[in-house]
Amino acid sequence: MSDQPFRDRVRERDLDNFLIEELYASAGFRDWFVGNVAPAFSAPAGLEIRLQKSPPRLQDARQTDVQIGWFDAVGELRAVVLIESKVTADFQPGQVEAYVAELAAARDRLGTANAATILVTPEGRLAGLAGAAAFDARVSIERIIDQLEDRRRSDGLSPELNARLDMRVQLLEALCGKRAASGWIATTVPEQRDFADAYAALARERLPGLKVRPSTDGPKAITRIFEGLDLPGLPTPALRHEFGSGVAWKWANVQFAGLSSAVDRLRSSGVLAGTRFTAEPAGKSLAIRVQTPGIDPTAPFEGQREAVVAGLDAIGELATWLTGNVAGLAPLLSSSAPSPSPAAPSAIISQDRERVEREFVAALRDIYAQCDALGYQPTGMLQMMDRLGGIGTARRLLELPPSDGFGRLALLGRLDLAVESLVLQSRWAGVFTEDELRTAKRRLR
């Protein structure tokens, strides 16, 4: 066996995985680690402790590297520690401010002494890492190594546990570069590269008829373009999965260059009826698009796998629909096609308000059923529906501050079940005011 198992490369996510395992497996390590934020934070006794990797935050679309949560008997969060690990990368623009905002929101909800932040980084980076002082505690990787070495010196340690601790020490030393003097330098692989590879592999699996165009791996690589969509008789399409940048929702869309003038024709033609798609201008292009979860390509892939799957499935749905509707789309995308009356879309919406209300109530009840399956029952929403109806309930919830249920869904990583997400779906176009839609979008950022 190699005496330098990490000599080839280590990844920043290895530190997160180590923390998850050690915080879960060792109460002694957990007590020492959380003790670094005393007296600002006091870990409550007698509660269930849950660890999460890459959980979504309440205040924005970003993720925390690792979260320790203390939950009561009914599953309510009572205390939380947010952990950020930085091995080689600096903070992204706005990242420190986002942690500060998330901590403030957690303290407002849980109490000042029941929320804290910890930064984990190599000792050599602490002094020069801008923003480090914003965290309640800063724990160096070297200090964690010392803790593990102290355990190895304990009496009665089994050979197996001693070997496990030795391997963890070697991993941590590789991450902070202590073994560079032995003739090799640990290479920390950027998460962006890992994300691009994992995304392309999953795309090949779910969309075998399409191919992801090679893209750069810089922080601006927030769109993936798919090749292989053949639509004879239509202008050349650009099939795009847009990740967004720090947003909760973005788009899967197909764009036709220079055809923004066709937007109204598509909207009024009825060709989009029964689909989730909308027609929108994108500069001088026409975009036929469907909403998909926002994605951060600089964050670990596995924590966002569900969002990526949703986006890829939307790309597949859009490609299938386009292929089956070439004949209907061809005359609408012709530059000689006549423009419709601008009043047509609103006239269609106003024809059957009762039908729209029934469909919206059904959508809210479907949300309730999905929440119930997750162990959360938004009974207040049902009671409000009895008094105000479906659309009235949504309007009332948008008038009020974000509910506890909204926070619960955020912690579950299921803001797609929030009323704010429902009202933004294209099938309710014309039902809600621009102010209401802006409120929904702002909360989901």
Side-chain angles (χ1 to χ4, degrees), residues 308-323:
V308 173
V309 167
L312 293 175
D313 288 352
I315 288 287
E317 180 185 353
L318 185 55
T320 299
W321 179 82
L322 288 164
T323 302

Side-chain angles (χ1 to χ4, degrees), residues 3 6 23 54 65 106 119 169 184 208 211 235 242 250 264 286 289 301 336 345 364 375 394 414 428 445:
D3 62 347
F6 302 108
L23 289 167
S54 305
D65 286 341
L119 173 67
V169 166
W184 64 278
K211 179 182 179 182
E242 298 179 8
K250 200 57 179 174
D264 287 339
L286 159 69
R289 68 189 191 184
F301 179 86
S336 61
L364 287 176
R414 293 303 306 270
W428 315 118
R445 287 195 185 111

Side-chain angles (χ1 to χ4, degrees), residues 124 225 256 283:
I225 298 177
F256 297 94

Side-chain angles (χ1 to χ4, degrees), residues 128-156:
L129 185 60
F135 290 78
D136 293 311
R138 293 154 295 284
V139 178
S140 71
I141 295 176
E142 287 85 345
R143 287 184 60 206
I144 295 176
I145 291 173
D146 290 342
Q147 282 293 315
L148 299 185
E149 292 287 17
D150 285 345
R151 288 179 62 194
R152 292 186 65 197
R153 288 190 285 269
S154 301
D155 293 334

Side-chain angles (χ1 to χ4, degrees), residues 135 196 226 228 236 243-244 284 312 364 375 384 411:
F135 290 78
F226 287 80
T236 302
F243 297 165
K284 295 183 179 180
L312 293 175
L364 287 176
M384 196 177 293
L411 288 172

Side-chain angles (χ1 to χ4, degrees), residues 28 40 42 86 109 112 116 123 268 304 316 320 356 403 417 429 431:
S42 178
K86 285 292 178 191
R109 181 182 177 193
T112 303
E123 185 73 40
S268 61
Q304 304 180 91
T320 299
V356 173
S403 65
L417 297 179
V431 174

